[in-house]
Amino acid sequence: MSTSVSEPQAAQAIRIADVCKSYGDYQVLKNINAEVARGEVVVICGPSGSGKSTLIRTVNRLEEINSGGISFEGQNIHAAMRSSELNKLRSRIGFVFQSFNLFPHLSVVENVSMSPIRVKGVSPATAHEKALKLLDRVGLADKANSYPGQLSGGQQQRVAIARALAMEPPVMLFDEPTSALDPEMVGEVLSVMKSLAAEGMTMLCVTHEMGFARDVADRIWFIDAGEILETAPPEEFFKNPRHPRAQRFLADLRH
Amino acid sequence: MIHDFIAIIQDYWLLLLIGQYPNGPLGGLANTLILSALAIAFAFPVSILMALARLSKWWFLRWPMTALVYVTRGVPLLMLILWCYFVIPLWTGADVPSFLIMLVTLVIYQGAFLSEVVRAGIVSLGQGQMDAARALGHGYMGAMRFVILPQALYNMIPSMISTFVSTIKDTTLGYVINVPDLTFAASQVNNQLLTQPFQVFLILAVVYYILCWSLTYVANSVERRIARRRAGPRNPRLPAEAAPLKTITEQL
């Protein structure tokens, strides 16, 4: 974990404290407490409907919470603040969606360069150049002038990762990035994520790809019915899950 | 028969084109074109603002605009025109020209209809696009401007054209408050000839048809050009996707 001593801010990139969230009577998140250290890769896994996606969407406040707080680099992102402040915080948290959500009216390179230009005020020429570099990094330099509708799902998701990286976020959140993909395209997206992890990016990923979790994650959070039941390094989690619900989840996966 | 048409056009083309101008106010086709163009040019941005107000999280924007849209949609345009024509001078004491009254009424009326089209376009995009824009740090208005509206407005081109076309057609109602437009001029011609209403009003119909058809044609080609650019030359789905849009506009 690459925490430098001179860093004045908190050692944790993300700290989730006592977070509760309900939709009406239904409590989705129950008193969640967890941390992601700088440079750490955390995989959130658990059965569907357990609150994984809701949890990750609260981290950049795409979902509001009912109580608790989530601090990102020492700042509570759920505190009362001006919307311009929230936008600034959000621009420093990369988010990759299950359904890509590329902007279909913009070309691939415009998808990647638009937000640096419009949000950060980067000059169009610089943003364009940077976008081409990022597209090269995700292996799609030749698609720069295509439109999202012309790309496969795997290619679209790689563009979405490049788009998030263009804002130079210190943290990346992934909400089931491979769940909407055909099986043969899962690998290309995971390998981009692996290389990001290898470069020391702080990552919080909701995923069902247990192979990825085993190989790349520093820690796994197992979540069910809105509670984090177990956090453990992957080798420990996959060999000796402590919580009975986690044992059953892993047993079901092996069938 | 054909001879009648040619004779009418030969005798009255200037009246039909510009009305009494320069001896009186500008009228005829020129005025119809100006009124239509201004009405569309103002109704369009007004409709976007109205749609944003209706989608706003603030009740003091949402409620009055919703009420305005409901009232406007539920009231005949002719009644609205007469109401403005008689009530505005009563309230303000000012002598407002009928052209201006017609323009303002058209902008409000068509703006309300158009705002429902714009709102439908925005809502139909779904939450994902807004989420993606917000996650990248765009503010609400930035997301609207750069992400949501370009898509929503493009998707709604067929419905917007149909509202624009009906705006052109609705300018004829200015006749009842003496806006000297093409219909007004044709009616003057008819009053002078007395015996040829069929010929006179057929000429009128043909001119309106050409006007509305040209607008539809231009908008369709713009739409096709955007679609072609986005789909790229290799995409074989394009013709099938473009087809339903065309059938909607052809019903006009």
Side-chain angles (χ1 to χ4, degrees), chain A residues 57 60 62 87 90-91 93 95 97 101-106 114-115 118-119 143 147 149-150 163-164 167, chain B residues 127-129 131-140 145-148 150-151 229-235 237:
Chain A
R57 285 169 62 90
N60 71 346
L62 284 179
N87 295 336
R90 273 198 185 123
S91 74
I93 305 175
F95 199 103
F97 296 85
N101 292 345
L102 290 181
F103 306 135
H105 62 300
L106 300 177
M114 193 261 277
S115 299
R118 301 295 182 186
V119 176
K143 298 289 184 191
Y147 280 79
Q150 299 166 264
R163 180 177 69 176
M167 297 301 285
Chain B
Q127 191 59 36
Q129 291 288 310
D131 280 351
R134 300 311 297 270
L136 286 161
H138 291 271
Y140 180 80
R145 183 171 153 209
F146 300 119
V147 176
I148 305 294
Q151 296 181 62
R229 196 191 65 185
R230 283 188 201 172
R234 293 173 295 119
N235 197 326
R237 285 178 310 165

Side-chain angles (χ1 to χ4, degrees), chain B residues 119-131:
Chain B
R119 192 172 68 99
I122 292 172
V123 171
S124 70
L125 280 186
Q127 191 59 36
Q129 291 288 310
M130 184 51 108
D131 280 351

Side-chain angles (χ1 to χ4, degrees), chain A residues 96-149:
Chain A
V96 176
F97 296 85
Q98 178 177 1
S99 48
F100 329 133
N101 292 345
L102 290 181
F103 306 135
H105 62 300
L106 300 177
S107 71
V108 164
V109 67
E110 286 166 340
N111 262 278
V112 180
S113 63
M114 193 261 277
S115 299
I117 296 171
R118 301 295 182 186
V119 176
K120 288 172 89 178
V122 176
S123 80
T126 316
H128 188 86
E129 202 180 321
K130 175 97 193 290
L132 291 178
K133 269 186 202 145
L134 284 167
L135 287 172
D136 189 40
R137 188 165 152 195
V138 298
L140 288 171
D142 57 324
K143 298 289 184 191
N145 294 315
S146 303
Y147 280 79

